[in-house]
Amino acid sequence: MDYIEVNNLNFNYNDDIKALNKVSFSIKKGEKVVILGANGSGKSTLIQHLNGLLKPQQGSILIDGEKICSKNVARVRQKLGIVFDNPEDQIVASTVGEDVAFGPRNMGLNNGEVEERVNKSLSAVGISGLKDEYPFNLSFGQKKKVVIAGVLAMNPQIIVFDEPFAGLDPVSNQNMLNILKVLNDKGHTLIIATHDVDIAYTWGEKFLIFQEGMLLKVGGDDVFYDKRLLEHAGLTSPTLIRVFEGTDICVKSVSVANKILRERLR
Ligand SMILES: Nc1ncnc2c1ncn2[C@@H]1O[C@H](COP(=O)(O)OP(=O)(O)OP(=O)(O)O)[C@@H](O)[C@H]1O
């Protein structure tokens, strides 16, 4: 059984904008998946379906064998956490510590357990020193870490990140890659939604290519060597592939060289 199953999902906004069009795919436990598409291709709409924020107008979503419905949506949200692109939309409390505690408290954990989860999560993203700060005064990258800590504190098996690298400086970018690596090493299933082909190619293992609400292709690295597919999706080749274009180096050698490079960059 697959861990996440999306079957024939359709979703329109205002009866006319087809945001998702017959989307079907599955994800296995522990996979590193990228939902890749240009602006407006349906990524955020899809993500919001994965934890029941949006209800399918047609089709279904199963998480760990359970079809999402109003009765189990709270349980699904403990299994699948989402870090949205704008951290300010997700911050709810007046101190960082209280914000991170919000999820575990709602899960009914006692004060000791909540405190332990808060400290562990803040430490995992490297912001233990910000525990008593007012979160809205922090920088964008710090706010992002507060939200990630809040999601980690719920200990979801699956974590979805919408544009996790957007707005981060190079050091914060590397921090984010490190956080993702630790989570993946611990066995979490990770999903990133992005339009950034470089980030996608560097980090991902399985790629879902979207265009105007349609899932054009599910594949591995091979999707990045399919120029027609990328063009159709309104995407370009990743820089690591483009630098070899026009040289005599064959695709196979580029692929092998990039495998080594990507391992180093992750
Ligand atoms: N609340 C909304 N009301 C009406 N139309 C919407 C709404 N949200 C999204 N859409 C439309 O649905 C389509 C898919 O949008 P969505 O935000 O899911 O794409 P996206 O791939 O996440 O884009 P981006 O990369 O720009 O965030 C677009 O045509 C968009 O204009």
Side-chain angles (χ1 to χ4, degrees), residues 58-71:
Q58 270 174 37
S60 62
I61 298 154
L62 282 82
I63 306 288
D64 204 7
E66 251 189 306
K67 183 173 167 180
I68 304 178
C69 61
S70 50
K71 280 187 191 145

Side-chain angles (χ1 to χ4, degrees), residues 13-14 17 19 37-46 85 163 195:
Y13 289 102
N14 313 326
I17 301 167
N39 291 136
S41 56
K43 304 180 296 291
S44 300
T45 306
L46 172 61
D85 51 348
E163 296 291 358
H195 59 261

Side-chain angles (χ1 to χ4, degrees), residues 187-204:
H188 290 273
T189 304
L190 302 179
I191 303 171
I192 280 182
T194 186
H195 59 261
D196 186 326
V197 286
D198 288 320
I199 281 295
Y201 182 58
T202 302
W203 179 82

